[in-house]
Amino acid sequence: FGDKNASGIVLMKSYNDYYYGYECMYIVDGGVADWYLWKDYFDAIDSGLIDSDVYETWTVIAIDKTKTEYSQIASKINGVAVKNLYATFYGCEQMTKAPVIPSTITAMTGTFFGCKELKTAPVLPKNVQRVMLTFAECTALQGDVIFNITLDKSHHWLYGDTFMRTTNKINLTGKTPEEDLILIAKESDNTNITVNGKKVDYSKPEV
């Protein structure tokens, strides 16, 4: 598991589309900073670099950026949940079909950034909280995008520019409260986006 170039690490055959890297999150002046430990999960625990009881998760990055489809993403490896899809398919310009998003995922920052041939979005499951730049520059994307997420509204940048530089008609729907879908639409600042089939008021409030 982990970086296929790291010493002593072997990727499971069924997951050979991806790197599975260990992600550690730590507190810095009250905020959260992310860094990636591209080595074996157990090496990280044994070396004391991470707290196995608090910060256990994996992040995923596609290896081959030229494919049209990718295998299913694992939801758990070695008993540890896969939670982060940070820039997983960034620049996969030929991808036409997205894999199912595992229910364990909590962060989808830039997951499909620049996937210019992706026409249909996968369902975003309940545990997802961050969607900044998730579908940015997905210029072929159209139709319904189903959000069942639990949006983290603590900072607007956590859901900013989700649909940046998209132009086709996109409709946000799903189990996520409509008011949250409107926030996502407004932060993208695209007039091509509707929410539950209704136009979004993009006008700025008067100061």
Side-chain angles (χ1 to χ4, degrees), residues 124-129 131 147-151 175-177 184:
L124 276 60
K126 179 181 179 180
N127 289 324
V128 173
Q129 301 174 29
V131 290
F147 281 82
N148 295 332
I149 72 174
T150 306
L151 187 64
K175 296 179 181 178
T176 298
I184 293 169

Side-chain angles (χ1 to χ4, degrees), residues 8-146:
I9 294 173
V10 179
L11 284 170
M12 290 179 66
K13 185 176 180 181
S14 58
Y15 303 136
N16 62 5
D17 281 344
Y18 306 105
Y19 289 123
Y20 283 92
Y22 193 85
E23 179 194 21
C24 181
M25 303 180 69
Y26 59 100
I27 304 301
V28 180
D29 295 328
V32 176
D34 298 344
W35 59 287
Y36 302 96
L37 187 64
W38 295 106
K39 54 189 297 188
D40 188 77
Y41 162 71
F42 295 108
D43 284 348
I45 297 233
D46 292 342
S47 65
L49 289 173
I50 55 92
D51 181 342
S52 62
D53 294 325
V54 180
Y55 299 125
E56 294 183 351
T57 184
W58 296 84
T59 191
V60 186
I61 295 180
I63 297 170
D64 185 349
K65 301 290 186 180
T66 66
K67 303 182 78 169
T68 58
E69 293 186 27
Y70 293 82
S71 62
Q72 181 56 43
I73 298 170
S75 61
K76 187 178 289 187
I77 298 177
N78 286 351
V80 180
V82 175
K83 295 185 177 181
N84 194 352
L85 297 184
Y86 176 79
T88 299
F89 299 104
Y90 177 85
C92 293
E93 296 186 1
Q94 298 179 49
M95 183 171 70
T96 58
K97 183 178 180 180
V100 173
I101 305 301
S103 61
T104 54
I105 300 302
T106 60
M108 292 185 64
T109 301
T111 301
F112 297 102
F113 196 123
C115 295
K116 299 181 184 299
E117 297 298 321
L118 183 65
K119 293 183 179 181
T120 304
V123 175
L124 276 60
K126 179 181 179 180
N127 289 324
V128 173
Q129 301 174 29
R130 302 180 178 191
V131 290
M132 181 175 70
L133 296 167
T134 301
F135 297 104
E137 297 188 10
C138 291
T139 50
L141 190 67
Q142 60 187 347
D144 287 350
V145 179
I146 300 175

